[in-house]
Amino acid sequence: MALIACALLMACHTLLNREGFVALCEALDSGLPPATTRRIWGRSLLAKYVPGGIWQLVGRGLQMRQLGSLHNSAVYSGILEQALSMLLCLTIAVSAHLLLSRYHALGIATILLPVLTVWLVARLTAWVKQPAALRRAAILYAAAMPFYLAAYACVVWQLPLLELCAYLFTGTFAGMLAFLVPGGLGVRESVISLLAANTHISLLTAMMVVRLITIGIEVLITVAGLAARRKP
């Protein structure tokens, strides 16, 4: 039951990220309908496991250009997607560590950093055509994070929730920084295991189980994207 719940929660997380990308494309006025951007996102999802860490972004940009999207939209959608995900992971990790260290006010205040960043990007950059869609994208990416945490909490039951939050998002951010490692495989799990060194040794096994579940969901979404036919 824990594995089933983990899979369902991770699927919600992944699909919310996809809808965030759709909103980003709308914010950048890509000229592509939502069904097309969903298909593009799904078809390029597994490319992140190619060494280099950015090939899913390149794949999405190339597909958008082939379907007639503007160059700026094709490039900046990938950059914004990665930047928003990294910013949210870093913010949650820092906030959780501050809360664990009893710096409660500072930990809560840190959560405002993504809000300020999105507001500045919407106001100061010319390539954001629809600020409301950018804000919606940021909300969707942020809404995906609790599902991500809950999916791990179903399996990694050895850690208190706040500690798991701090270690998980620190490890995820480290995996994003490790561009040469395909999909951050092993980096995320190793960082979490090191941070939770006093926890039972089965923690690493649990982390790998969640990773396998995640890859399985991503394969299903990729297959669905490849099977979808372009409407005339």
Side-chain angles (χ1 to χ4, degrees):
M1 291 303 296
L3 294 178
I4 293 172
C6 174
L8 292 174
L9 289 164
M10 193 60 73
C12 291
H13 164 76
T14 307
L15 293 175
L16 280 170
N17 278 331
R18 185 187 68 179
E19 294 308 306
F21 178 75
V22 172
L24 272 182
C25 291
E26 181 183 342
L28 299 173
D29 200 14
S30 68
L32 301 176
T36 300
T37 50
R38 288 188 186 100
R39 187 172 63 250
I40 288 171
W41 190 89
R43 287 180 174 181
S44 56
L45 186 57
L46 290 180
K48 67 183 178 182
Y49 294 109
V50 177
I54 62 169
W55 297 113
Q56 80 276 19
L57 308 181
V58 174
R60 287 166 198 165
L62 289 173
Q63 291 182 76
M64 290 173 69
R65 290 289 291 142
Q66 289 173 353
L67 294 174
S69 180
L70 296 175
H71 175 74
N72 285 351
S73 299
V75 172
Y76 290 132
S77 60
I79 294 175
L80 271 178
E81 180 184 31
Q82 192 74 356
L84 269 173
S85 296
M86 292 181 72
L87 177 62
L88 285 167
C89 284
L90 179 62
T91 300
I92 296 170
V94 171
S95 180
H97 281 293
L98 287 171
L99 290 173
L100 285 172
S101 301
R102 300 295 189 270
Y103 295 105
H104 298 118
L106 192 56
I108 294 171
T110 306
I111 300 174
L112 298 176
L113 179 60
V115 178
L116 178 60
T117 302
V118 170
W119 182 81
L120 288 174
V121 170
R123 291 294 298 270
L124 301 179
T125 53
W127 33 271
V128 176
K129 306 299 182 184
Q130 300 185 40
L134 177 62
R135 291 192 291 269
R136 187 168 70 253
I139 291 171
L140 285 166
Y141 282 116
M145 295 304 178
F147 288 95
Y148 182 66
L149 174 62
Y152 274 88
C154 288
V155 180
V156 188
W157 48 266
Q158 299 96 329
L159 291 174
L161 188 59
L162 187 57
E163 286 186 32
L164 175 62
C165 181
Y167 302 159
L168 173 61
F169 286 99
T170 301
T172 303
F173 182 72
M176 290 180 174
L177 289 179
F179 292 110
L180 298 179
V181 180
L185 281 171
V187 175
R188 179 193 309 172
E189 292 78 13
S190 298
V191 169
I192 295 172
S193 296
L194 287 171
L195 290 172
N198 295 326
T199 308
H200 195 271
I201 195 169
S202 63
L203 174 62
L204 182 58
T205 304
M207 297 292 299
M208 296 308 297
V209 168
V210 180
R211 172 70 84 163
L212 290 174
I213 290 172
T214 303
I215 293 174
I217 291 169
E218 291 171 344
V219 168
L220 291 175
I221 293 174
T222 300
V223 170
L226 291 171
R229 294 191 175 186
R230 184 169 49 188
K231 293 182 180 180

